[in-house]
């Protein structure tokens, strides 16, 4: 039986935190056996909003590779690659840009929101408007069936399908596969202060934090604000730490925690000490693998190189098919250049 193909990308915009681990990485890892998986570092996408600060992007790529391997992505099972090493993505993006109506891009919700929200950068660029066209090219050049992403990305997948249909209509050949989003029910991990875990809120626990730093941060997690003294009864439903417990502690522990919080027989400090132990126990194997991979830069690059070579073969074939369909196949008429 032929496995269905999965593809997803992650921007190289910064360090990964526990929210990214639970939200995306664990899902990627879990799909490796059942699907033919392609995962890539979206460094061109990172460039779209960081074109003025490019120095960090290369360090971020290495950190991303280390985190992927630490989380359990396995180069024997999945193709791990780097977007900017596969120029075919850019060529297909260009071809798609010829047939994509501008209003389709202007109405993408993330486009409008980012333009309003991000005040410190000028995102009124051609590349930023075309961000989802590049994303469509990333996906369909591998004929991916499924794309594991967060809900915020669903409009991008819808647009990818619309571009595919338009391409098929205009050129009369079915070259691409219409990709479907693959959502999974993961409990959302809040930040230390209860807001969304995010670099920009300084409320994140990073995979690169030491165990001591993680413990220190966990002890700062906000608890029920009404529980001022240890003798005050608390309400776990109003406690951010309890949200963490739900993800990292056992159901039996959580029943007990709930009881002892409501009856004020356990204090928040003890409760978070236990939580820190559970978190570190759960992600211990990842931290150990991280210690192994940190500093093995060349090996990490070599893995990305192997993956990129494999990915490029697929991308080249699809691009050729697309150009053939468009009767725009000069690379076939004049071979040996590309
Ligand atoms: N836009 C995605 C994000 O911000 C990253 C991305 C780029 C992507 N290309 C992709 C995700 C292709 C899935 C498929 O998370």
């Amino acid at each position: 039986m032929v496995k269905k193909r999965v593809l997803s990308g992650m921007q190289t915009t910064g360090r990964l935190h526990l929210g990214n681990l639970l939200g995306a990485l664990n899902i990627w890892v879990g799909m490796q056996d059942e699907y033919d998986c392609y995962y890539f570092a979206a460094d061109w996408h990172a460039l779209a909003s960081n074109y003025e600060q490019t120095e960090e992007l290369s360090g971020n790529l290495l950190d991303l590779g280390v985190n992927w391997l630490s989380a359990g992505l396995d180069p024997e099972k999945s193709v791990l690659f780097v977007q900017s090493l596969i120029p075919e993505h850019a060529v297909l993006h260009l071809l798609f840009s010829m047939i994509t109506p501008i209003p389709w891009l202007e109405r993408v919700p993330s486009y409008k929101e980012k333009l309003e929200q991000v005040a410190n950068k000028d995102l009124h660029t051609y590349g930023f408007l075309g961000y989802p066209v590049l994303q469509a090219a990333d996906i369909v050049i591998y004929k991916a069936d499924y794309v594991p992403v967060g809900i915020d990305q669903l409009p991008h997948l819808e647009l990818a399908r619309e571009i595919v249909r338009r391409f098929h209509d205009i050129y009369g050949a079915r070259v691409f596969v219409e990709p479907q989003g693959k959502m999974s029910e993961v409990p959302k991990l809040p930040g230390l202060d209860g807001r969304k875990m995010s670099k920009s809120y300084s409320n994140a626990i990073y995979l690169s934090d030491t165990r001591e730093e993680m413990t220190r941060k966990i002890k700062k997690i906000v608890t029920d604000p009404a529980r001022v003294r240890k003798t005050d009864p608390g309400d776990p439903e109003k406690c951010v730490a309890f949200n963490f417990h739900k993800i990292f502690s056992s159901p039996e522990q959580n029943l007990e925690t709930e009881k002892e919080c409501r009856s004020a027989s356990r204090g928040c400090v003890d409760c978070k000490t236990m939580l820190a132990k559970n978190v570190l126990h759960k992600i211990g194997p990842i931290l150990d693998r991280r210690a192994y991979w940190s500093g093995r830069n060349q090996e990490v690059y070599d893995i990305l190189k192997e993956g990129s070579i494999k990915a490029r073969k697929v991308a080249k074939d699809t691009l050729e098919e697309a150009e053939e369909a468009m009767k725009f196949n000069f690379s076939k008429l004049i071979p040996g250049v590309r």
Side-chain angles (χ1 to χ4, degrees), residues 7-11 40 42 45 83 131 134-135 138-139 147-149 152-153 156-157:
L7 172 132
S8 198
M10 215 175 256
Q11 285 196 39
F40 72 98
H45 277 108
Q83 184 185 36
Y131 181 112
L134 179 58
Q135 184 163 349
D138 294 339
I139 298 167
V147 185
V149 280
D152 61 311
Q153 297 290 312
H156 292 173
L157 292 183

Side-chain angles (χ1 to χ4, degrees), residues 118-291:
V118 180
N120 55 342
K121 313 178 200 181
D122 184 4
L123 295 179
H124 292 86
T125 59
Y126 179 51
F128 192 68
L129 179 66
Y131 181 112
V133 183
L134 179 58
Q135 184 163 349
D138 294 339
I139 298 167
V140 308
I141 207 163
Y142 299 99
K143 303 188 182 184
D145 300 289
Y146 299 119
V147 185
V149 280
I151 2 175
D152 61 311
Q153 297 290 312
L154 291 184
H156 292 173
L157 292 183
E158 182 62 42
L159 185 81
R161 290 191 290 272
E162 284 171 327
I163 293 174
V164 164
R165 281 180 224 131
R166 187 163 161 84
F167 185 98
H168 291 167
D169 276 352
I170 296 177
Y171 302 112
R174 305 189 64 78
V175 174
F176 302 108
V177 170
E178 288 186 29
Q180 305 299 324
K182 188 106 184 157
M183 317 300 297
S184 47
E185 295 300 314
V186 278
K188 266 254 181 286
L189 186 72
L192 305 175
D193 56 1
R195 291 188 289 174
K196 178 180 176 216
M197 189 176 278
S198 160
K199 187 169 75 166
S200 45
Y201 294 152
S202 309
N203 65 358
I205 300 173
Y206 292 99
L207 288 169
S208 56
D209 287 343
T210 61
R211 285 174 163 82
E212 293 70 35
E213 270 170 301
M214 289 190 183
T215 302
R216 221 172 13 252
K217 285 183 175 179
I218 290 168
K219 291 193 173 159
K220 282 199 298 212
I221 295 177
V222 173
T223 52
D224 176 1
R227 192 174 179 196
V228 183
R229 265 154 296 159
K230 193 175 164 181
T231 49
D232 297 336
D235 181 354
E237 294 312 319
K238 299 199 176 108
C239 174
V240 180
F242 195 63
N243 275 301
F244 275 71
H245 272 301
K246 285 184 191 159
I247 294 166
F248 292 102
S249 305
S250 71
E252 299 78 45
Q253 282 177 325
N254 291 342
L255 275 178
E256 199 163 324
T257 298
E258 213 171 339
K259 215 170 66 198
E260 295 184 0
C261 176
R262 290 192 197 282
S263 62
S265 53
R266 187 199 307 173
C268 296
V269 176
D270 289 345
C271 193
K272 288 193 277 190
T273 303
M274 176 176 115
L275 175 62
K277 254 180 69 186
N278 291 345
V279 172
L280 291 179
H281 178 74
K282 199 135 194 180
I283 66 168
I286 294 174
L287 299 180
D288 292 341
R289 282 197 293 266
R290 215 177 177 284

